[in-house]
Amino acid sequence: MTSLIRHITIDCADAYTLGGFWAEVLGGSVAEDDHPGDPEVLVTAPGTALLFIVVPEAKTTKNRVHLDLQPQDRTRDEEVDRLLALGATLVADHRFPDGRGWATLADPDGNELCVERSAAERERTSA
């Protein structure tokens, strides 16, 4: 018998606000019974679930685990722009002129994430 991942849990300062950000990022939704001020908020999206839990301490170092996002209906650069408009910040830019690479961003709570090329972009550069 094996296990499966039920959801990925992320510590944060404001579970509802950060959950709302990630629901927008992933095209998902915050659970109907979650509200501002709740200590836990569940976000469900196609293929994944994220659980945000309020903790008293702030993030102080680089994440040991982070999420790598692959845009499904836009380019990597369009997705980076969309996430920046939602409240993410650019941490490091690893994009190359030939189209390879990724961008490292931070969500509004400072958790790092990477935006990689879309499948369509990967196919174009490997041909």
Side-chain angles (χ1 to χ4, degrees):
M1 187 56 108
T2 62
S3 295
L4 60 87
I5 297 172
R6 182 172 175 210
H7 43 64
I8 299 168
T9 302
I10 300 172
D11 294 347
C12 61
D14 181 338
Y16 191 80
T17 299
L18 196 58
F21 169 83
W22 279 99
E24 287 289 323
V25 168
L26 299 173
S29 60
V30 172
E32 288 183 15
D33 59 347
D34 288 329
H35 305 285
D38 284 354
E40 297 179 4
V41 170
L42 180 65
V43 171
T44 55
T48 194
L50 301 177
L51 179 64
F52 297 90
I53 298 179
V54 173
V55 296
E57 59 276 353
K59 180 182 172 298
T60 58
T61 62
K62 184 180 180 301
N63 296 4
R64 300 247 348 226
V65 175
H66 68 267
L67 304 179
D68 287 341
L69 304 179
Q70 183 182 49
Q72 299 300 297
D73 59 352
R74 59 185 57 95
T75 67
R76 173 200 56 212
D77 295 346
E78 291 169 338
E79 183 69 349
V80 167
D81 290 342
R82 185 178 80 88
L83 300 183
L84 293 172
L86 289 173
T89 56
L90 182 65
V91 173
D93 197 334
H94 303 282
R95 294 176 282 186
F96 297 100
D98 68 359
R100 293 178 304 118
W102 67 95
T104 302
L105 282 67
D107 70 16
D109 215 53
N111 301 299
E112 291 92 1
L113 59 125
C114 291
V115 181
E116 299 182 353
R117 294 178 294 162
S118 67
E121 289 175 295
R122 288 178 181 276
E123 288 174 16
R124 282 193 297 266
T125 58
S126 68

